[in-house]
Amino acid sequence: MSHRDDASPIPRPGGRTARVRADVLAAVERELAASGYDNLTIEAVAASSGVHRTTIYRRWGSVAGLLVDLLASGADDDWRPADTGALEGDLIRLNREVRDALVQQPSLTGAVIAASFRTAEAAEALTSFWQDRYVRSEIVVRRAIDRGEIPSDTDAQRLLIACTAPVYHQLVLLRQPMTRAAADRAAKDAAAAARARVYRR
Amino acid sequence: MSHRDDASPIPRPGGRTARVRADVLAAVERELAASGYDNLTIEAVAASSGVHRTTIYRRWGSVAGLLVDLLASGADDDWRPADTGALEGDLIRLNREVRDALVQQPSLTGAVIAASFRTAEAAEALTSFWQDRYVRSEIVVRRAIDRGEIPSDTDAQRLLIACTAPVYHQLVLLRQPMTRAAADRAAKDAAAAARARVYRR
DNA sequence: CTGTTAATGCAATCGATGTTGCATTAAGAT
DNA sequence: ATCTTAATGCAACATCGATTGCATTAACAG
């Protein structure tokens, strides 16, 4: 036989498929910036990208699929929490990142959260993303323990959630504005509570 | 003139309109229980209530409108936080209520949260509902201050959000199971932090 | 009882979203 | 250059949610 005789898909890394994907994801970002998540429709992405509707439906299936792919394509695998040398500083940096991601216009995070209430696909992408972030953030607690700032039996998950949950709650659920100072406040509160031995197992 | 000559709407409290509303809202609850929010469609409500689609569209406009009305009709205007005689106990009761409302199947609260990401109407209904609940909950902090449990300059909002936010975060955003004990844990942490003078202004 | 009118029921229709069959294009193999 | 084939483009169609015009019903006034 002269052609490929295995059943695996043929990779064409620099080919049309890759260009189409890049064009479409770029269009998703553009449209999101221009008209927000509510107006992010397959039609609009097709028009803006120059790729036909049918292709987008076939490859991504839905708006949620587009967002998931965008999230995946932009996944920062090298992300690490900042190291300021003190627990409070580290937590403040963490909360600022969270706040900025949610306040930013347009907010990709906000869009994915909204999408996660519509399709299981987006919900899973989001939970695994957050899961990963919380695990990576544990190093902040580890360092604080090593420095002797907080008890060695501090529950990292509880502390981290106590720190960031108020930010998400305020911005996503209560939908009220939150200043950077208020986000800092939440981080300082969590650090103070941890020093006061609140989050021990 | 023999008929009413003012332009105000004619009230017919026991009439067809009131029956239709009751039938429709009952059907919404039934359908929500039977098939969950994702399958809560105007069609299904119409079929289950025996009221015509058109009527529902005209009076409620959307699924979100139905949920908002259901939320309003069931609004417990007499709600007060429990008084257990201690801050920690009060906060635990608060968190258990929040958790139970979210874990319950079907969860009306969960449905409204999902709806709030689709229409501004539902979002407003939800924020005003929560706003009201947080204001009413401040009495818990007030009593703790009066008992001398916590500093008199404790920031009630910050404390209350520190207490409940982890529950919402875990169940709504992270979508992970949360035991009653874990909800209690969050309440105890918040109480301990308050006693450690963390939430002072 | 009779008249008036808002609310409801009904059918037809619209519009946007999503799908399918088939022709065309272009990446990569030879 | 030529061939093969997956990916894409295209148009027609299906589907569902939502709206509109008009007939009918029933609550209330007299």
Side-chain angles (χ1 to χ4, degrees):
Chain A
M1 313 256 299
S2 58
H3 58 286
R4 295 172 58 100
D5 52 2
D6 60 19
S8 67
I10 301 157
R12 298 183 180 182
R16 183 163 56 156
T17 299
R19 281 201 308 275
V20 165
R21 175 167 185 252
D23 289 351
V24 168
L25 293 187
V28 171
E29 264 194 301
R30 265 199 310 277
E31 286 303 303
L32 208 52
S35 2
Y37 174 67
D38 292 333
N39 299 66
L40 184 63
T41 167
I42 302 268
E43 278 291 343
V45 173
S48 168
S49 66
V51 172
H52 202 272
R53 294 203 330 239
T54 312
T55 299
I56 300 179
Y57 277 117
R58 276 198 276 247
R59 288 190 42 188
W60 288 275
S62 67
V63 173
L66 287 168
L67 287 174
V68 169
D69 198 16
L70 185 60
L71 192 66
S73 82
D76 184 358
D77 287 334
D78 295 338
W79 186 87
R80 312 244 156 236
D83 186 353
T84 65
L87 175 64
E88 186 173 291
D90 287 359
L91 293 180
I92 286 175
R93 294 285 289 271
L94 227 45
N95 264 11
R96 284 187 180 179
E97 260 192 70
V98 171
R99 174 188 171 269
D100 290 349
L102 291 172
V103 164
Q104 178 186 104
Q105 289 300 345
S107 167
L108 176 58
T109 310
V112 177
I113 290 174
S116 77
F117 285 94
R118 303 184 118 177
T119 76
E121 209 185 2
E124 276 168 38
L126 193 60
T127 57
S128 71
F129 174 79
W130 271 334
Q131 182 78 16
D132 180 58
R133 282 297 166 102
Y134 276 113
V135 169
R136 292 187 194 208
S137 299
E138 284 178 9
I139 184 72
V140 164
V141 181
R142 183 74 252 161
R143 287 192 301 240
I145 291 173
D146 291 345
R147 268 184 236 110
E149 276 192 80
I150 56 177
S152 63
D153 59 349
T154 298
D155 185 335
Q157 287 292 321
R158 248 159 76 220
L159 166 53
L160 291 170
I161 287 184
C163 175
T164 57
V167 181
Y168 286 109
H169 196 250
Q170 189 89 358
L171 289 173
V172 179
L173 263 18
L174 300 183
R175 282 190 176 75
Q176 280 165 8
M178 186 177 214
T179 61
R180 171 166 280 201
D184 290 358
R185 180 81 265 169
K188 287 177 193 162
D189 287 352
R195 283 191 300 263
R197 322 189 128 249
V198 168
Y199 303 116
R200 287 193 301 168
R201 281 186 235 275
Chain B
M1 314 251 298
S2 57
H3 57 287
R4 298 172 55 98
D5 52 2
D6 62 18
S8 67
I10 302 157
R12 299 182 181 182
R16 183 163 56 157
T17 299
R19 283 199 309 275
V20 164
R21 175 167 185 253
D23 288 351
V24 168
L25 292 188
V28 172
E29 263 193 302
R30 263 198 312 278
E31 286 301 304
L32 207 53
S35 2
Y37 174 68
D38 292 333
N39 299 68
L40 184 63
T41 167
I42 303 267
E43 277 292 342
V45 173
S48 167
S49 66
V51 172
H52 201 271
R53 295 196 337 227
T54 312
T55 299
I56 300 180
Y57 276 118
R58 276 198 274 246
R59 289 191 42 189
W60 287 276
S62 67
V63 172
L66 286 168
L67 287 173
V68 169
D69 197 15
L70 186 60
L71 193 67
S73 81
D76 185 358
D77 287 334
D78 296 338
W79 185 86
R80 310 242 159 240
D83 185 355
T84 65
L87 175 65
E88 186 174 292
D90 287 359
L91 293 180
I92 285 175
R93 294 286 289 273
L94 227 46
N95 264 10
R96 283 186 181 178
E97 260 191 70
V98 171
R99 175 188 169 269
D100 291 349
L102 291 172
V103 164
Q104 180 186 103
Q105 291 299 343
S107 168
L108 177 57
T109 310
V112 177
I113 291 174
S116 77
F117 285 95
R118 308 186 103 171
T119 76
E121 208 184 3
E124 276 167 37
L126 194 59
T127 56
S128 71
F129 174 80
W130 271 334
Q131 181 80 16
D132 180 58
R133 282 297 167 100
Y134 276 112
V135 168
R136 291 186 194 209
S137 298
E138 285 179 6
I139 184 71
V140 164
V141 181
R142 183 76 251 159
R143 288 193 301 242
I145 291 173
D146 291 345
R147 270 186 234 110
E149 277 192 80
I150 56 176
S152 62
D153 59 348
T154 299
D155 184 335
Q157 288 291 322
R158 246 160 76 221
L159 166 52
L160 291 170
I161 287 183
C163 175
T164 58
V167 181
Y168 285 110
H169 195 249
Q170 188 89 358
L171 289 172
V172 179
L173 263 20
L174 300 183
R175 284 192 176 76
Q176 281 165 7
M178 185 177 216
T179 62
R180 172 168 279 201
D184 289 358
R185 181 80 265 166
K188 287 177 194 165
D189 287 351
R195 283 191 299 265
R197 325 190 125 246
V198 168
Y199 303 115
R200 285 193 301 169
R201 279 186 236 277

